[in-house]
Amino acid sequence: MKVKTYLFPILVIALLSGSCNLFQSSGDQYELVVLDTLNIPFAGDIHAGTYAHHTGLIYNYQTGEYLKFDSSGNVLANNKIPIKGDSGLYYVNGLKIIENGNILAKSIRGEIGLLDDQLNLIKKANMPFPNGSLDLKRNQNAINIYKDELLLFYPGRDNKSPYDLGYYRDNFLLEKLNPSTGEATPFLKLSPESQYQESLHFEPPTALISISGNSLYFVFNKEPLISKYNLANKGAWVNSVPLESEDFVQIKGQKLPLGNDGSVLVEGEITNLFALKNGFAVVYIDGLLKEPSLDKKIPGKQLQVYNDETGWSNPIELPFNLLFLLNFEQEGQAFYGLTNPKTVPLGSNQAQVLKLQLAKN
């Protein structure tokens, strides 16, 4: 509650005054261009969303409503799926549009739903063991598909708790699910460069994954280290790239699980991860110490692109009312971001989606 109390005035000040990032990168230099604002008839909060294959999708947990739209904001389909029962999906926090137009929906209870292009639930698979991390964080990039198998972040196999010391060091990171048989097998080992290799207690993380070709990228939301794995070589670790940010705030690892010592007001967090043909992109917030120095900027979401040849781009400030990106494309291609419903005028009953593009300076 204290974080929310302090953060609200910080966000208001930032909306009024803006901020700038003085950190300079040796990679590509971009600026953000807002191409359009799409107004979509959709009431209430939005807990997950995605955009792929010229189609956007948003979801509201309280109502169980799903809405699909095109690149101009036209509604393509709208449906409600119960949040309970055999024909329902409880609190979906991961969505993935696949090439044939069908949709994967992952719930926090380990349900994996397959929706058709009209947003009807075709079938549902269940993970064979309970989720050990009931994280209610919205829009987790935690499910993907590779050669007809699903890869997802779903800790807790063998009744082990991801909150135990050394869990991610001693266990696999992901589960590989065969949707036809329901069989799940553990997959992917922790990067040797990760802080979670240490025998210390850290704040419980959430994982983000994204795939391009045979490359899988993995990151914990509270660790500024993005790891690459080769799926064509049984998920072998390739390398890890530190996020190029001087201000990413972390609660230090501790021998006893004491948590925040009061010095951190807002933790740094990676909120989106997008695999690209020659690298990846991340969206993150640097966080804020309780007593920041006078030259520290007010934190807001930033986008940074990593190219295998040129390294990190400059940090790109995103609109302060952005809730999360629905997707990200290479330079010169449009991508989409959802504005926070709480910043939309009361009574509008509309969701606002920003159509964005990066342009080289």
Side-chain angles (χ1 to χ4, degrees):
M1 292 302 294
K2 287 184 178 180
V3 169
K4 292 183 179 179
T5 302
Y6 283 103
L7 187 56
F8 179 74
I10 291 170
L11 296 180
V12 172
I13 292 170
L15 282 168
L16 294 175
S17 63
S19 61
C20 60
N21 192 319
L22 301 178
F23 185 80
Q24 294 297 319
S25 171
S26 59
D28 294 325
Q29 301 290 307
Y30 296 108
E31 63 178 356
L32 184 70
V33 179
V34 179
L35 300 175
D36 198 2
T37 300
L38 311 181
N39 292 300
I40 300 168
F42 193 85
D45 203 355
I46 297 173
H47 298 86
T50 188
Y51 189 98
H53 311 297
H54 310 291
T55 301
L57 180 66
I58 51 179
Y59 159 81
N60 181 317
Y61 158 65
Q62 277 107 352
T63 62
E65 182 178 6
Y66 299 75
L67 184 144
K68 190 167 71 168
F69 60 92
D70 66 14
S71 60
S72 299
N74 301 308
V75 176
L76 300 176
N78 183 256
N79 192 29
K80 289 185 178 181
I81 297 175
I83 61 175
K84 295 181 180 179
D86 294 338
S87 60
L89 294 170
Y90 181 82
Y91 199 106
V92 169
N93 60 359
L95 292 167
K96 175 76 176 178
I97 302 174
I98 51 184
E99 289 186 7
N100 64 5
N102 288 345
I103 296 155
L104 294 174
K106 169 185 168 289
S107 85
I108 64 170
R109 288 183 173 173
E111 304 163 311
I112 311 296
L114 181 66
L115 282 60
D116 65 18
D117 60 0
Q118 293 302 302
L119 306 178
N120 299 300
L121 181 63
I122 304 172
K123 61 181 179 178
K124 182 172 74 172
N126 290 279
M127 289 295 292
F129 57 88
N131 188 354
S133 177
L134 293 177
D135 190 343
L136 299 181
K137 190 177 297 296
R138 72 179 77 227
N139 201 52
Q140 295 181 14
N141 300 135
I143 184 169
N144 223 304
I145 187 167
Y146 181 75
K147 293 188 176 179
D148 298 326
E149 289 189 301
L150 306 184
L151 300 176
L152 63 155
F153 177 67
Y154 192 81
R157 171 178 284 274
D158 299 326
N159 293 316
K160 295 179 181 178
S161 172
Y163 304 104
D164 289 343
L165 182 68
Y167 174 86
Y168 294 107
R169 177 194 60 206
D170 301 333
N171 296 278
F172 289 87
L173 297 176
L174 303 179
E175 292 289 332
K176 185 188 293 185
L177 177 69
N178 183 319
S180 299
T181 64
E183 181 182 0
T185 54
F187 183 66
L188 221 65
K189 296 297 288 183
L190 181 66
S191 161
E193 299 176 8
S194 172
Q195 66 183 11
Y196 295 96
Q197 292 282 3
E198 302 180 46
S199 293
L200 296 172
H201 292 276
F202 295 92
E203 290 296 287
T206 295
L208 297 83
I209 61 174
S210 189
I211 294 174
S212 177
N214 291 319
S215 296
L216 180 147
Y217 294 90
F218 178 100
V219 67
F220 283 119
N221 66 326
K222 296 183 179 182
E223 182 182 28
L225 183 76
I226 299 90
S227 298
K228 181 180 180 180
Y229 296 84
N230 184 355
L231 295 176
N233 187 22
K234 301 179 180 179
W237 175 76
V238 178
N239 62 6
S240 295
V241 179
L243 178 65
E244 200 166 84
S245 171
E246 296 177 332
D247 301 317
F248 195 91
V249 175
Q250 291 181 276
I251 295 175
K252 296 179 180 179
Q254 302 166 3
K255 292 184 178 180
L256 296 176
L258 300 177
N260 188 359
D261 61 4
S263 63
V264 175
L265 184 60
V266 181
E267 289 182 82
E269 182 179 8
I270 295 174
T271 60
N272 283 115
L273 171 67
F274 303 104
L276 306 172
K277 184 177 180 181
N278 297 308
F280 59 89
V282 292
V283 177
Y284 63 97
I285 181 172
D286 275 327
L288 192 68
L289 295 172
K290 188 173 182 180
E291 297 181 0
S293 59
L294 294 177
D295 61 344
K296 293 294 184 182
K297 66 183 181 64
I298 297 169
K301 284 190 173 68
Q302 300 179 83
L303 168 67
Q304 220 172 342
V305 182
Y306 182 83
N307 183 284
D308 292 334
E309 296 181 358
T310 60
W312 286 106
S313 73
N314 60 304
I316 302 137
E317 297 284 350
L318 296 173
F320 224 97
N321 63 342
L322 184 80
L323 190 61
F324 51 75
L325 287 187
L326 299 175
N327 72 320
F328 178 75
E329 302 292 342
Q330 302 277 12
E331 171 200 353
Q333 298 184 43
F335 57 99
Y336 296 83
L338 177 73
T339 63
N340 191 329
K342 295 179 181 178
T343 65
V344 177
L346 292 175
S348 67
N349 289 331
Q350 288 186 327
Q352 286 189 345
V353 174
L354 300 177
K355 187 175 182 178
L356 307 165
Q357 186 176 337
L358 289 188
K360 273 193 175 181
N361 286 339

